[in-house]
Amino acid sequence: MAAKTGVRTSVRIVVAGDRGTGKSSLIAAAATESFPDSVPAVLPPTHLPADFYADGVPLTIIDSSSSTDNKSKLYEELKRADAVLLTYACDQPMTLGRLTSYWLNELRQLEVKAPVILVGCKLDLRDEHQQVSMEDIVAPIMKQFREIETCIECSAATLLQVPEVFYYAQRAVLHPTAPLFDLERQSLKPRCKNALRRIFTLCDRDMDGALSDEELNEFQVKCFNAPLQPAEIVGVKRIVQENLPSGVNDRGLTLPGFLFLHALFIEKGRLETTWAVLRKFGYDDDLNLSGDYLPVPSKQAPDQSMELSNEALDFLRGVFQLLDTDNDGALRPIELEELFSTAPESPWDEPPYKDSAEKTALGNLTLNGFLSRWALMTILDPPRSLANLIYIGYGGDPAKALHVTRRRLVDRKKQRTERNVFQCFVFGPKKAGKSALLNTLIRRPFSKNYSSTTEDGYVMTMLESAQGGQKTLILREIPEDGVQKFLSHEECLAGCDVAVFVYDSSNEDSWNRSRELLVEVARKGEVSGFGVPCIVIAAKDDLDTSPLAVQDSVRVCQGLGIEAPIPASSKSGDSSNVFNKILSAAEHPHANIPETERGRNRKRYHKLFNRSLIFVSVGAAVGVIGLAAFRAYAARKNTSN
């Protein structure tokens, strides 16, 4: 079990295996430090105190029954386990075979993610004449089942290596090998390298590419609360230089040398050293920054969103200029790779970020596209945005890197907005031209090839606002087949600044479907209280338009109280007028909100209801005053008599 800080407060170990392999005897021997004369078939949960091992974390050991009647309980315990011990009997080779034919496959089927320790029990009963090479037997099994952390054999009868069994299980949880080291390649894993690279960069205060003796000592004190003696520093450098000449130069320990040292610690079984360093710099077991290092402000309402602060944006502009070594105003893929070399991985290699921003003809990312991607990540995943800011070197106060916007509902009442990032949802039937519109926003060439969209797609860019400054416009395409699922969520429109409805102006059926979507969204806004400005776009304006579609679209928009459809042609390539109108609608959140007949009737009803309440209140007040006057009159009359 891990506390919110990511520091383990206890470790839960489940012991499983075939009947008669020594599970209960092993647990009892560890707890009592003696071999029990008899043990029950299944022991109750056994606790080893915090001071049992040096790490100071208590253990809870769960025994299990091999009976098929107790399978569901065993499965439940295995899913809750921090580590699993699978036992076999050293005097019964068949039980070792059962680990691969049954138990390990069973754990995979249950999707148990905990590390596994293979434990050979009853070592004292193995035939002395039977020559067994543990490495020869276990190596193929560990190669097939990577979840196995290690294998150890023991004897509860002689107490041989019994404490070590649970020590290795605890260590597999507190200091796991899998996130750090690739045993097959005998090298640090990429995420581990990136984390250590970031730590090296933070410790290299003079940024000369090497840790001086003074910087090494500061690092040592920060991580282990004790400085290195001069002779120890000399010794560390000598070991590195003997094995990796490039690991040391005249300025100190280089990054390759720093990485080599940690690989050496792990190879020698000192994983706790590398984990102590990683945790001191805020990393959790998955080599992400833990939540305590990510003070993300919380939204109070669903119609609020998150944006980067001006300080964070200035930092990102500076980073862009620093990486743009050829001063061409764009970052090449290799330069982006360098940017995220201190992050667990690039956050932009997968949708919705990949291919969502403006690039040059050579495929390089412009400053506009660079900042737009950060804006999208901040809206969709604020913790990830903040974490990556920190990974790439943001040195400001993390608590002030992001800020929560005012509620959209308040913006509509005040008839103005302070937002700098606007999210617009794009609806429309298939083949209406939605994707082509999105591509036009980021200057992607028009393509005649049609492919149906099945997932939400995003594009974004920065536009000059008529009110001054630059604003980020995010377009999110909602596929037609996904509209009903989207609208089934009560707060689906809470994060929307403008709803855009696209139809093929040459196709009457396309308009009819778009009209249905427009009315559905308008009604959803009225019912949920998250009504949004709506814009209709008559796409494919370069084709012969359908007169009926044009006439009806104008009539419908007029009836809903929104602007007439905007003609557009993605093929012509110039849709700046369309995007400026979308931006303008977002900046005027009170205008262009459609009102359906049902909505008008509801509004009239509320007005009548409120008015009747006023009349009732006034009548009640008059009645109260009259009653009071009558009582006063009666009192005076009684007094006079």
Side-chain angles (χ1 to χ4, degrees):
M1 176 183 172
K4 285 184 180 179
T5 57
V7 177
R8 288 271 173 181
T9 55
S10 67
V11 172
R12 188 179 184 86
I13 299 169
V14 175
V15 184
D18 283 351
R19 185 192 301 273
T21 53
K23 301 187 293 295
S24 302
S25 296
L26 171 65
I27 297 170
T32 63
E33 298 183 2
S34 63
F35 182 62
D37 293 331
S38 63
V39 291
V42 179
L43 290 170
T46 302
H47 302 281
L48 300 185
D51 59 0
F52 201 87
Y53 295 114
D55 282 300
V57 178
L59 272 66
T60 299
I61 306 170
I62 307 298
D63 196 5
S64 64
S65 169
S66 305
S67 168
T68 54
D69 297 338
N70 296 304
K71 236 177 189 181
S72 59
K73 186 180 178 183
L74 172 60
Y75 288 171
E76 186 182 327
E77 290 292 356
L78 288 170
K79 289 177 181 179
R80 293 177 59 200
D82 294 319
V84 176
L85 301 185
L86 289 182
T87 59
Y88 64 93
C90 292
D91 63 334
Q92 301 174 48
M94 184 183 69
T95 59
L96 176 60
R98 280 269 297 167
L99 296 185
T100 53
S101 65
Y102 176 74
W103 285 104
L104 287 162
N105 289 318
E106 198 78 353
L107 291 181
R108 283 189 173 179
Q109 207 158 8
L110 291 171
E111 297 184 350
V112 173
K113 302 300 181 187
V116 177
I117 312 291
L118 303 187
V119 183
C121 299
K122 305 184 182 183
L123 182 58
D124 56 301
L125 298 181
R126 175 179 282 159
D127 186 350
E128 293 180 3
H129 303 292
Q130 185 182 358
Q131 295 296 322
V132 177
S133 168
M134 273 289 295
E135 189 174 345
D136 291 346
I137 294 173
V138 173
I141 300 175
M142 293 183 71
K143 191 171 184 179
Q144 182 183 355
F145 297 92
R146 295 292 180 187
E147 56 270 39
I148 299 173
E149 190 78 13
T150 190
C151 180
I152 182 172
E153 293 187 330
C154 64
S155 167
T158 65
L159 301 183
L160 178 67
Q161 296 203 120
V162 168
E164 285 83 352
V165 168
F166 295 99
Y167 168 74
Y168 282 125
Q170 185 195 60
R171 194 176 77 156
V173 177
L174 301 181
H175 315 298
T177 304
L180 307 185
F181 203 72
D182 188 322
L183 292 170
E184 189 173 349
R185 297 182 179 180
Q186 288 294 295
S187 63
L188 295 173
K189 287 189 173 179
R191 286 172 71 91
C192 180
K193 275 187 181 180
N194 289 357
L196 292 172
R197 185 180 287 112
R198 172 177 169 261
I199 292 169
F200 179 90
T201 304
L202 291 173
C203 295
D204 183 18
R205 290 185 295 102
D206 57 9
M207 295 185 291
D208 65 348
L211 298 183
S212 64
D213 292 359
E214 183 182 348
E215 289 168 337
L216 267 176
N217 251 329
E218 288 176 357
F219 164 78
Q220 181 74 11
V221 170
K222 178 179 174 70
C223 295
F224 305 104
N225 300 316
L228 288 168
Q229 297 302 314
E232 291 176 309
I233 293 177
V234 170
V236 167
K237 288 181 178 177
R238 185 174 61 249
I239 290 171
V240 173
Q241 200 159 30
E242 286 173 357
N243 291 274
L244 185 71
S246 64
V248 177
N249 62 23
D250 56 352
R251 294 187 299 278
L253 185 71
T254 64
L255 174 60
F258 186 73
L259 297 176
F260 167 80
L261 272 179
H262 283 282
L264 187 64
F265 292 146
I266 294 168
E267 285 174 12
K268 291 186 176 296
R270 290 173 53 190
L271 288 99
E272 64 275 9
T273 302
T274 299
W275 274 116
V277 170
L278 291 164
R279 287 178 176 135
K280 183 59 73 171
F281 282 86
Y283 287 93
D284 62 17
D285 287 355
D286 297 317
L287 298 184
N288 295 313
L289 281 177
S290 64
D292 285 358
Y293 288 78
L294 302 174
V296 178
S298 58
K299 296 192 297 181
Q300 302 301 316
D303 60 343
Q304 292 178 299
S305 57
M306 211 77 73
E307 292 184 8
L308 292 164
S309 67
N310 288 331
E311 183 183 358
L313 285 169
D314 288 341
F315 165 76
L316 290 172
R317 290 187 186 99
V319 166
F320 185 93
Q321 290 174 357
L322 192 66
L323 289 172
D324 185 20
T325 52
D326 52 8
N327 296 316
D328 64 347
L331 297 183
R332 292 169 292 158
I334 194 170
E335 290 167 333
L336 281 174
E337 190 178 319
E338 176 64 24
L339 170 66
F340 291 113
S341 65
T342 50
E345 64 272 313
S346 171
W348 297 343
D349 286 344
E350 301 293 334
Y353 309 105
K354 188 179 182 181
D355 300 327
S356 62
E358 183 183 329
K359 292 182 180 180
T360 66
L362 296 174
N364 299 330
L365 190 66
T366 63
L367 176 61
N368 184 321
F370 179 75
L371 295 177
S372 297
R373 276 187 179 175
W374 280 102
L376 178 64
M377 185 160 59
T378 304
I379 274 190
L380 297 184
D381 195 346
R384 193 180 192 192
S385 179
L386 180 58
N388 277 281
L389 271 174
I390 296 171
Y391 291 140
I392 67 172
Y394 179 70
D397 182 355
K400 296 178 180 177
L402 311 182
H403 72 89
V404 180
T405 63
R406 191 168 65 187
R407 291 193 63 182
R408 288 175 172 87
L409 184 63
V410 175
D411 284 348
R412 282 163 199 147
K413 287 179 180 177
K414 291 183 177 290
Q415 300 189 6
R416 61 186 180 84
T417 182
E418 298 170 348
R419 294 171 189 272
N420 293 306
V421 181
F422 298 108
Q423 186 171 200
C424 307
F425 296 171
V426 181
F427 300 90
K430 294 174 183 176
K431 299 186 178 182
K434 301 187 298 296
S435 299
L437 180 72
L438 267 67
N439 288 336
T440 305
L441 180 67
I442 56 173
R443 305 177 192 277
R444 192 175 288 157
F446 176 78
S447 173
K448 292 181 180 179
N449 298 324
Y450 171 77
S451 59
S452 179
T453 304
T454 56
E455 300 288 338
D456 288 14
Y458 291 84
V459 296
M460 57 277 175
T461 194
M462 298 179 75
L463 300 174
E464 292 295 332
S465 168
Q467 298 179 358
Q470 286 190 316
K471 307 291 183 183
T472 302
L473 183 65
I474 298 171
L475 299 186
R476 174 187 173 186
E477 179 181 355
I478 312 291
E480 183 186 6
D481 293 339
V483 170
Q484 293 309 314
K485 182 180 178 182
F486 171 80
L487 292 176
S488 66
H489 300 288
E490 185 62 25
E491 299 170 350
C492 61
L493 296 176
C496 180
D497 293 293
V498 179
V500 176
F501 298 85
V502 182
Y503 76 94
D504 178 352
S505 60
S506 69
N507 187 316
E508 188 180 350
D509 291 336
S510 180
W511 158 245
N512 289 336
R513 179 59 183 138
S514 191
R515 179 188 60 208
E516 291 171 0
L517 293 171
L518 171 59
V519 172
E520 281 185 72
V521 171
R523 285 176 179 166
K524 184 68 178 181
E526 290 170 340
V527 171
S528 66
F530 297 117
V532 295
C534 291
I535 284 181
V536 177
I537 296 176
K540 305 187 182 182
D541 190 46
D542 54 291
L543 303 178
D544 293 335
T545 57
S546 165
L548 288 175
V550 171
Q551 291 170 17
D552 192 51
S553 63
V554 171
R555 181 187 61 79
V556 169
C557 289
Q558 196 171 20
L560 292 171
I562 63 175
E563 288 186 13
I566 306 167
S569 170
S570 299
K571 190 174 182 180
S572 68
D574 183 18
S575 298
S576 57
N577 177 53
V578 174
F579 301 127
N580 287 333
K581 289 206 172 187
I582 294 174
L583 179 60
S584 177
E587 291 180 319
H588 298 84
H590 61 290
N592 272 306
I593 298 178
E595 194 172 33
T596 66
E597 190 61 35
R598 191 181 296 176
R600 289 192 191 96
N601 291 336
R602 186 182 289 109
K603 192 179 287 185
R604 288 192 203 102
Y605 170 77
H606 284 306
K607 281 183 179 178
L608 287 170
F609 182 74
N610 291 334
R611 194 176 298 166
S612 64
L613 280 179
I614 292 171
F615 288 146
V616 170
S617 300
V618 171
V622 169
V624 169
I625 292 168
L627 180 61
F630 173 76
R631 284 177 176 171
Y633 166 75
R636 282 199 301 271
K637 186 175 180 181
N638 289 335
T639 304
S640 63
N641 289 336

